[in-house]
Amino acid sequence: MTGEGEPRSGLRSRLDGPVLTVWAKHDRDSDGWLPLWRHMEDSAAVAGLLWDAWLPASVRRLIASALPGGEQDARRLAVWLAGVHDIGKATPAFACQVDQLANVMYAQGLEMRSARAIGPDRRIAPHGLAGQALLGEWLQERHGWTVKQTGQFTVVVGGHHGVPPEHGQIAALHKHGHLLRTPGPSRAEWQRVQDELLDACADEYGVRDRLDEWRSVKLPQPVQVLLTALVIVADWVASNADLFPYFPQDVARSSEERVAAAWRGLDLPAPWCPEEPAGDAQELFESRFGLPAGAKVRPVQEAAVELARAMDEPGLMVIEAPMGEGKTEAALAVAEIFAARSGAGGVFFALPTMATGNAMFPRLLDWLKRLPAAEDARHSVLLAHSKAALNEDFADLMRESGHRVVAVDVDAPEELQWRPSDTTRSAPAGLVAHAWLRGRKKAMLSSFVAGTVDQLLFAGLKSRHLAMRHLAVAGKVVVIDEAHAYDTYMSVYLDRVLSWLGAYGVPVVVLSATLPAGRRRELVEAYTGGKAAADRSATEFEAVGKARAYPLLTAVAPGGKPVLRSPEASARGTGVVLERVDDDLDVLVGRLTDELDGGGCVLVVRNTVKRVLETAQALRARFGDENVTVAHSCFIDVDRAAKDADLLKRFGPPDKAKDRPTGPHIVVASQVAEQSLDVDFDLLVTDLCPVDLLLQRMGRLHRHQRGDGQHERPKRLRRARCLVTGVDWKADVPAPVRGSVAVYGAYALLRSAAALLPHFEEGPSRPVRLPEDISPLVQTAYADVPAGPENWAPAIAEAFDRHERHRADQAERAAVFRLEETGRDGRPLFGWVAAGMGDADDTRTGRAQVRDSRESLEVVVVQQRADGSLATVPWLAQDRHGNRLAGLELPRDQVPPPRTARAAASCGLRLPIQFSYAEVMDRAIEALEELYVPAWQVKDSHWLSGQLILALDKDCQTRLAGFTLRYSERDGLEVTSA
């Protein structure tokens, strides 16, 4: 059991005797095993290939910049650390775990007690921490390094299972030396074997002659993180038995042949390596976005391209421009230029919601298809949110890829059967095909990613395998859309992530139509170094916080000075007349009866789902069911997607929407209408909300030109008008309805009303001019100076106090698990994620951690028949191939067929806030236990394993935790007290 039949080359040629019996891997099912030397050699070889053919140039350059020998040193260091990462397995604490392999080692003089005899002390020496200690000793005793010098290198070994060791763990191991080497006669043999492996790696991977010079190196913490992540990836690849078979199953071949075969089987796409596009902005946009004949690039887009080219080096660019100005296209154009100049190997487009992520994904794919590329180039692409597998565009990519490599998660706990009460279940419907870059911890390593901003914010959350998230973003250009949409809690994480992105030199593009000036400055300061930026010169950033131009571009390189540009807006503008309307459904029905006398399409936006449903009921009584459409967040996933598609089909741009109603039609929606949907209405009615969101809602009003002077719209609706309700306007101080206050807070609503007051009072003579008034309104609403009439002042002051207490509370709670800023160069990452969230992103608790929201329950909605059997809900449409999906039986004694299971999973639903309170949630989970299906909790049940099942009766109703739930395809979920 030594692998003696191996041709003696590479690392093997430098080893002999007992060291060959030390084991690294064992498969209980086949009894196959892998010697430690072989896994070390495999890992080092993979690390070299990852460096040469997969790691983006920007990451290689950053690591190389920390070492005296540049990129040659950097590659040597990465390969060597990957080679020695498992040296901690050459210890009694590890080797005792498999009796038959331990006995062979024992016979060679490597004595050890049994795992039972060592007992719980074995947990003091996990092999990563043990390896860190052994490598540190070797550097100190054989190469004269000091303790201070070793930690920044050895922490890579200590942290290769996702959590860098803490000082207390290091101290505890120091007191238990018997776990590293068995006391007595065999101690010297253990020492010899450990040193033999480390000496062989130093010689084989060419670092022995570099160690003296590396003693003076101070590795920046971002470099330590990237090296750790690279070693983790190399280890995961080399631990995959499909690629690197165990003994004795492996065929006789050389090490080079073994690695070459594995690399071919892995077939990782190379990073994106764009060249900086030639030509002016017009040529660039024509080639990348297929501009219609005669269309001209917008001034904002042209200015963004010019600024990206003019910057000393790629950095942060904030693009503030009105809705419909083509900010997304500008961001992608800038991303291509930034990537070419920085060596970034991909793009991550972060969006506020799953819906916006889904809307962005096909646009990203279309852009990718238009990029210049070598004939055989391939790019890895990902839609990153928990329901990505249900997205048809992404599902098509998975089906087309065909390539499958079984994923390996060497750090996963032993699989236990899931129960509904578990908080650690995987994200609902989040499983995707098992290509290697689709594992839950590796997916973000794909080159091109569109997903929710949560995936970016997790890079600022202390959690297991955080280094992998940092590697995923460190090699990309990051685009952050709708930057105004993130509250104080999320901003705490976003600012910390930006500070790390700046430290990595990651180019970032931030997009917003309505960004407060103070928030703009915070983003720029965070990226340029946080405290370091404040220490330089506050005056450098004063202009950023004071700028009132609009549109506005702000750019800054890491550690540099900000630059401002103010391009013109495109020629087309809209004047929106504001009017206050009483919050009374009878008043609203009467008003819309008058407004729609000649036809027209109206959007009514309410701030709560309850108000959406109440309003729709009242309007249907007057206009008929067929003329009122409801849209909100409490629809099952498949219905929500169908709603969005229907709204685009009927109310989208003139050249695409062919079914626009000819008679009166009213869409009553919640905040889902604010973002992502390119819809166009003749009249807007909205509850009062923060002014930046109100402006977003106005972006759905007269969004497109419909004939000269809008003459294709009904005559009385040719002027854009917005009726603002949800407030008692007759009170001395406007009094927003309770639901709105619960969602947004009284302070933001009163500041919004104050900013809009001149437009309300002067009516048609002072419309809100879009885009000219966007920035003035936003800056007025979010300024630190008084606003509104004097008699409003006490109410605003009281609301402000509550607002500030809430913000302080948000910031304090967010900081608990927030990652620290980068430490000084050379400081090891010990304790980097101490007191963190574990695998936070994959749990109910973790998904709520980067948003200030309660844990929520997500269920899969099915129908329970009279005989107790389960089936998919009866209104599902056929799939694209004409297959029936409605009413398919879901057997309880086996895993349902894939098409049936996927149809069921597409009916995911997040239960509303009533079910997020601890007591109610516990009662709900207890009730849902009654539909626990053990047959679905198996490895092959990709769609339904780990799901909570909510069964509706034949009338699509059920009772849960003291509430009555009623669901309809038309109105979604209605919840009432039982």
Side-chain angles (χ1 to χ4, degrees):
M1 298 182 71
T2 63
E4 290 288 354
E6 284 282 309
R8 297 196 177 190
S9 61
L11 194 63
R12 171 67 180 82
S13 67
R14 302 176 185 276
L15 305 170
D16 200 17
V19 69
L20 300 176
T21 67
V22 180
W23 66 276
K25 304 283 182 183
H26 177 256
D27 179 35
R28 293 178 183 176
D29 294 333
S30 67
D31 212 28
W33 74 292
L34 207 61
L36 178 56
W37 69 265
R38 166 56 77 199
H39 181 58
M40 295 171 83
E41 186 172 68
D42 290 342
S43 300
V46 170
L49 289 167
L50 290 170
W51 183 277
D52 295 337
W54 179 75
L55 208 60
S58 59
V59 174
R60 299 198 307 268
R61 290 172 193 163
L62 182 64
I63 298 173
S65 69
L67 294 158
E71 188 152 334
Q72 190 174 24
D73 259 7
R75 188 186 188 281
R76 279 198 190 110
L77 177 59
V79 170
W80 174 61
L81 289 172
V84 302
H85 81 278
D86 262 354
I87 185 62
K89 291 183 174 179
T91 60
F94 179 86
C96 69
Q97 295 177 92
V98 179
D99 288 343
Q100 66 266 35
L101 297 177
N103 291 338
V104 174
M105 293 173 63
Y106 197 104
Q108 292 290 315
L110 295 170
E111 298 178 5
M112 69 194 86
R113 298 162 69 197
S114 69
R116 178 174 295 179
I118 293 176
D121 277 1
R122 206 174 63 78
R123 291 198 293 269
I124 298 172
H127 73 267
L129 176 58
Q132 174 180 295
L134 294 179
L135 182 59
E137 284 183 15
W138 181 81
L139 288 169
Q140 294 160 36
E141 295 173 3
R142 298 174 72 93
H143 295 278
W145 288 39
T146 66
V147 173
K148 250 185 173 180
Q149 292 164 336
T150 61
Q152 57 184 322
F153 290 86
T154 62
V155 71
V156 175
V157 172
H160 82 265
H161 277 264
V163 181
E166 300 175 31
H167 290 284
Q169 295 171 308
I170 297 169
L173 178 59
H174 187 69
K175 298 175 183 176
H176 293 78
H178 65 282
L179 298 172
L180 301 181
R181 303 179 187 99
T182 304
S186 73
R187 187 184 189 284
E189 191 62 36
W190 278 106
Q191 175 93 52
R192 191 187 73 77
V193 162
Q194 293 160 357
D195 288 345
E196 187 177 355
L197 284 166
L198 291 171
D199 286 339
C201 286
D203 292 330
E204 181 66 22
Y205 306 124
V207 304
R208 184 179 293 278
D209 295 337
R210 303 300 301 146
L211 292 176
D212 282 345
E213 195 168 0
W214 288 356
R215 287 173 59 183
S216 62
V217 167
K218 291 187 176 180
L219 290 180
Q221 287 195 334
V223 171
Q224 297 177 46
V225 174
L226 295 177
L227 286 168
T228 301
L230 181 60
V231 168
I232 291 172
V233 175
D235 181 29
W236 284 357
V237 173
S239 297
N240 191 318
D242 287 349
L243 300 172
F244 291 94
Y246 290 180
F247 293 176
Q249 289 88 356
D250 195 15
V251 298
R253 52 185 172 175
S254 69
S255 296
E256 292 80 5
E257 291 169 337
R258 173 181 168 90
V259 171
W263 190 252
R264 286 194 304 272
L266 185 60
D267 195 26
L268 279 179
W272 182 40
C273 298
E275 295 182 4
E276 186 167 347
D280 59 19
Q282 182 70 29
E283 294 172 304
L284 177 59
F285 275 70
E286 286 176 351
S287 63
R288 301 298 189 266
F289 306 109
L291 295 182
K296 295 294 183 183
V297 64
R298 303 235 169 103
V300 168
Q301 298 170 332
E302 186 173 22
V305 167
E306 291 174 355
L307 184 54
R309 287 171 168 164
M311 293 174 67
D312 292 336
E313 60 177 309
L316 171 72
M317 184 184 296
V318 182
I319 302 177
E320 297 172 64
M323 299 72 75
E325 282 290 289
K327 293 189 294 294
T328 297
E329 289 76 14
L332 292 173
V334 170
E336 183 178 357
I337 295 168
F338 275 175
R341 296 186 61 199
S342 69
V347 174
F348 173 39
F349 212 112
L351 301 115
T353 64
M354 290 186 199
T356 52
N358 286 336
M360 182 61 211
F361 191 61
R363 297 174 70 181
L364 180 68
L365 295 180
D366 187 57
W367 174 69
L368 285 173
K369 292 172 184 175
R370 295 174 182 271
L371 288 175
E375 194 170 321
D376 58 346
R378 295 180 302 126
H379 300 310
S380 51
V381 184
L382 175 75
L383 178 60
H385 61 66
S386 62
K387 298 181 185 295
L390 297 172
N391 179 278
E392 291 295 345
D393 292 309
F394 187 55
D396 286 346
L397 279 179
M398 293 299 93
R399 283 190 288 267
E400 292 166 6
S401 68
H403 180 61
R404 296 290 179 269
V405 177
V406 175
V408 59
D409 181 354
V410 296
D411 303 307
E414 185 175 347
E415 188 170 327
L416 300 174
Q417 194 172 62
W418 173 85
R419 297 290 302 186
S421 56
D422 292 346
T423 62
T424 55
R425 67 194 181 95
S426 295
L431 292 166
V432 293
H434 257 184
W436 197 82
L437 281 177
R438 301 295 183 262
R440 65 190 176 100
K441 296 175 183 175
K442 305 186 293 285
M444 288 292 293
L445 294 171
S446 300
S447 294
F448 295 94
V449 180
T452 55
V453 73
D454 308 58
Q455 304 298 329
L456 179 64
L457 300 183
F458 282 135
L461 179 69
K462 290 180 180 179
S463 56
R464 191 175 174 91
H465 287 109
L466 182 60
M468 293 288 282
R469 289 197 171 274
H470 279 228
L471 176 61
V473 294
K476 294 183 176 69
V477 178
V478 173
V479 180
I480 304 169
D481 199 9
E482 308 281 7
H484 55 272
Y486 311 126
D487 63 11
T488 298
Y489 192 93
M490 297 173 75
S491 295
V492 166
Y493 286 104
L494 180 57
D495 289 356
R496 185 51 47 84
V497 172
L498 281 173
S499 73
W500 277 86
L501 294 180
Y504 288 120
V506 170
V508 177
V509 184
V510 175
L511 306 179
S512 178
T514 53
L515 189 65
R519 184 66 190 129
R520 179 196 309 134
R521 176 173 177 168
E522 290 171 354
L523 294 171
V524 171
E525 288 183 330
Y527 183 78
T528 53
K531 293 177 182 176
D535 292 341
R536 284 203 304 274
S537 172
T539 58
E540 294 179 8
F541 297 93
E542 283 181 3
V544 174
K546 290 180 177 179
R548 295 295 185 267
Y550 191 80
L552 181 67
L553 307 180
T554 308
V556 64
K561 297 181 179 181
V563 176
L564 300 171
R565 295 284 186 273
S566 50
E568 296 178 357
S570 58
R572 182 174 176 261
T574 303
V576 180
V577 176
L578 295 189
E579 182 182 342
R580 291 169 287 200
V581 175
D582 291 340
D583 188 56
D584 182 291
L585 287 177
D586 291 337
V587 170
L588 178 64
V589 171
R591 180 61 180 271
L592 292 186
T593 299
D594 294 338
E595 296 287 356
L596 297 177
D597 185 46
C601 301
V602 180
L603 174 63
V604 179
V605 183
R606 296 304 209 186
N607 291 339
T608 65
V609 173
K610 181 181 179 182
R611 283 174 61 81
V612 168
L613 296 175
E614 290 171 347
T615 303
Q617 183 178 9
L619 291 171
R620 283 176 176 144
R622 170 62 183 83
F623 292 94
D625 290 355
E626 69 280 6
N627 295 320
V628 178
T629 298
V630 163
H632 55 72
S633 58
C634 289
F635 281 90
I636 61 175
D637 295 326
V638 67
D639 288 350
R640 172 81 182 273
K643 285 279 182 186
D644 287 352
D646 176 64
L647 290 175
L648 287 170
K649 183 179 179 183
R650 292 194 286 166
F651 306 104
D655 59 331
K656 296 180 180 178
K658 305 303 182 186
D659 297 328
R660 190 174 182 87
T662 55
H665 198 95
I666 305 168
V667 174
V668 188
S670 66
Q671 293 88 339
V672 299
E674 284 175 7
Q675 299 167 337
S676 79
L677 291 177
D678 185 6
V679 287
D680 173 25
F681 290 89
D682 302 317
L683 178 68
L684 173 66
V685 180
T686 175
D687 284 346
L688 180 68
C689 61
V691 74
D692 50 329
L693 302 182
L694 191 65
L695 290 165
Q696 291 282 341
R697 295 176 187 184
M698 287 185 195
R700 275 63 190 153
L701 176 63
H702 286 216
R703 185 178 180 91
H704 297 286
Q705 193 71 26
R706 294 187 181 272
D708 293 337
Q710 302 286 8
H711 77 271
E712 293 178 8
R713 300 184 190 272
K715 186 174 182 179
R716 66 181 298 151
L717 301 179
R718 289 175 187 170
R719 185 164 192 185
R721 287 179 295 134
C722 173
L723 311 183
V724 182
T725 184
V727 180
D728 179 0
W729 294 112
K730 295 175 182 175
D732 290 340
V733 179
V737 296
R738 288 178 56 189
S740 296
V741 173
V743 173
Y744 298 115
Y747 180 68
L749 296 173
L750 289 175
R751 291 289 305 203
S752 179
L756 297 167
L757 189 58
H759 300 281
F760 285 134
E761 292 185 338
E762 298 182 38
S765 63
R766 190 171 179 179
V768 174
R769 298 167 303 150
L770 303 178
E772 294 92 334
D773 288 335
I774 290 177
S775 184
L777 284 170
V778 171
Q779 307 318 329
T780 298
Y782 287 96
D784 293 328
V785 297
E790 286 187 15
N791 66 307
W792 293 17
I796 291 180
E798 182 183 344
F800 177 73
D801 287 342
R802 291 196 299 270
H803 171 73
E804 286 298 289
R805 288 196 299 270
H806 178 62
R807 287 185 60 188
D809 175 65
Q810 282 190 315
E812 183 179 349
R813 286 185 289 108
V816 172
F817 297 112
R818 181 190 58 188
L819 186 65
E820 299 299 324
E821 290 186 281
T822 53
R824 66 179 184 276
D825 291 355
R827 180 181 177 183
L829 288 173
F830 299 149
W832 191 50
V833 297
M837 285 293 299
D839 283 326
D841 48 313
D842 290 319
T843 67
R844 288 203 307 261
T845 303
R847 289 194 300 277
Q849 186 58 43
V850 292
R851 294 180 184 257
D852 189 22
S853 58
R854 295 176 177 271
E855 291 183 49
S856 59
L857 284 181
E858 293 193 43
V859 297
V860 167
V861 177
V862 302
Q863 191 164 48
Q864 189 162 27
R865 296 165 173 163
D867 62 1
S869 63
L870 302 179
T872 58
V873 293
W875 60 83
L876 294 182
Q878 294 179 339
D879 67 16
R880 289 189 289 183
H881 306 290
N883 296 311
R884 181 172 69 91
L885 301 179
L888 298 178
E889 184 171 355
L890 293 161
R892 295 204 205 189
D893 59 346
Q894 59 182 296
V895 177
R899 178 161 55 87
T900 303
R902 187 178 191 275
S906 73
C907 297
L909 174 68
R910 179 169 295 178
L911 296 180
I913 194 169
Q914 293 98 313
F915 296 92
S916 294
Y917 297 96
E919 184 179 338
V920 177
M921 179 180 283
D922 290 343
R923 292 206 310 270
I925 290 174
E926 184 179 351
L928 293 168
E929 284 266 12
E930 297 176 12
L931 261 184
Y932 174 70
V933 184
W936 296 355
Q937 315 307 322
V938 296
K939 187 176 180 180
D940 293 334
S941 181
H942 302 304
W943 294 107
L944 296 176
S945 176
Q947 304 286 13
L948 295 168
I949 306 299
L950 178 70
L952 305 177
D953 63 19
K954 62 182 179 59
D955 298 317
C956 292
Q957 299 183 45
T958 191
R959 293 167 67 98
L960 183 66
F963 293 93
T964 297
L965 280 62
R966 179 183 298 103
Y967 189 90
S968 70
E969 183 184 8
R970 184 186 72 171
D971 287 343
L973 182 69
E974 297 180 66
V975 179
T976 55
S977 297

PDB file of all heavy atoms in Angstrom, residues 597 620 753 843 846 878 937:
ATOM      1  N   ASP A 597     -62.718  57.854 -19.560  1.00  0.00           N
ATOM      2  CA  ASP A 597     -63.923  57.977 -20.380  1.00  0.00           C
ATOM      3  C   ASP A 597     -63.627  57.715 -21.850  1.00  0.00           C
ATOM      4  O   ASP A 597     -64.449  57.152 -22.571  1.00  0.00           O
ATOM      5  CB  ASP A 597     -64.528  59.375 -20.191  1.00  0.00           C
ATOM      6  CG  ASP A 597     -65.847  59.528 -20.930  1.00  0.00           C
ATOM      7  OD1 ASP A 597     -66.689  58.614 -20.816  1.00  0.00           O
ATOM      8  OD2 ASP A 597     -66.030  60.540 -21.627  1.00  0.00           O
ATOM      9  N   ARG A 620     -62.662  46.566  -9.868  1.00  0.00           N
ATOM     10  CA  ARG A 620     -63.342  45.545 -10.670  1.00  0.00           C
ATOM     11  C   ARG A 620     -64.858  45.716 -10.605  1.00  0.00           C
ATOM     12  O   ARG A 620     -65.564  45.441 -11.576  1.00  0.00           O
ATOM     13  CB  ARG A 620     -62.934  44.149 -10.194  1.00  0.00           C
ATOM     14  CG  ARG A 620     -61.551  43.729 -10.677  1.00  0.00           C
ATOM     15  CD  ARG A 620     -61.142  42.393 -10.125  1.00  0.00           C
ATOM     16  NE  ARG A 620     -59.852  41.963 -10.684  1.00  0.00           N
ATOM     17  CZ  ARG A 620     -58.933  41.292 -10.010  1.00  0.00           C
ATOM     18  NH1 ARG A 620     -59.171  40.957  -8.747  1.00  0.00           N
ATOM     19  NH2 ARG A 620     -57.803  40.950 -10.592  1.00  0.00           N
ATOM     20  N   ALA A 753     -42.798  64.309   0.694  1.00  0.00           N
ATOM     21  CA  ALA A 753     -43.920  65.240   0.526  1.00  0.00           C
ATOM     22  C   ALA A 753     -43.429  66.680   0.518  1.00  0.00           C
ATOM     23  O   ALA A 753     -43.920  67.520  -0.256  1.00  0.00           O
ATOM     24  CB  ALA A 753     -44.945  65.024   1.635  1.00  0.00           C
ATOM     25  N   THR A 843     -28.610  29.149   4.237  1.00  0.00           N
ATOM     26  CA  THR A 843     -29.602  28.902   5.264  1.00  0.00           C
ATOM     27  C   THR A 843     -30.654  29.992   5.261  1.00  0.00           C
ATOM     28  O   THR A 843     -30.450  31.087   4.752  1.00  0.00           O
ATOM     29  CB  THR A 843     -28.937  28.866   6.654  1.00  0.00           C
ATOM     30  OG1 THR A 843     -28.445  30.181   6.951  1.00  0.00           O
ATOM     31  CG2 THR A 843     -27.810  27.868   6.697  1.00  0.00           C
ATOM     32  N   GLY A 846     -29.097  32.844   7.045  1.00  0.00           N
ATOM     33  CA  GLY A 846     -28.055  33.535   6.306  1.00  0.00           C
ATOM     34  C   GLY A 846     -28.574  34.374   5.166  1.00  0.00           C
ATOM     35  O   GLY A 846     -28.056  35.462   4.914  1.00  0.00           O
ATOM     36  N   GLN A 878     -48.856  24.649 -20.509  1.00  0.00           N
ATOM     37  CA  GLN A 878     -47.918  23.672 -21.071  1.00  0.00           C
ATOM     38  C   GLN A 878     -46.521  24.277 -21.163  1.00  0.00           C
ATOM     39  O   GLN A 878     -46.351  25.496 -21.220  1.00  0.00           O
ATOM     40  CB  GLN A 878     -48.383  23.245 -22.466  1.00  0.00           C
ATOM     41  CG  GLN A 878     -49.695  22.483 -22.488  1.00  0.00           C
ATOM     42  CD  GLN A 878     -50.112  22.103 -23.901  1.00  0.00           C
ATOM     43  OE1 GLN A 878     -49.671  22.710 -24.869  1.00  0.00           O
ATOM     44  NE2 GLN A 878     -50.979  21.109 -24.014  1.00  0.00           N
ATOM     45  N   GLN A 937     -36.624  13.259   0.059  1.00  0.00           N
ATOM     46  CA  GLN A 937     -35.440  13.824   0.711  1.00  0.00           C
ATOM     47  C   GLN A 937     -34.213  12.978   0.404  1.00  0.00           C
ATOM     48  O   GLN A 937     -33.479  12.537   1.289  1.00  0.00           O
ATOM     49  CB  GLN A 937     -35.654  13.927   2.220  1.00  0.00           C
ATOM     50  CG  GLN A 937     -36.990  14.485   2.639  1.00  0.00           C
ATOM     51  CD  GLN A 937     -37.320  15.819   1.998  1.00  0.00           C
ATOM     52  OE1 GLN A 937     -36.447  16.663   1.831  1.00  0.00           O
ATOM     53  NE2 GLN A 937     -38.580  16.001   1.626  1.00  0.00           N
TER      54      GLN A 937
END
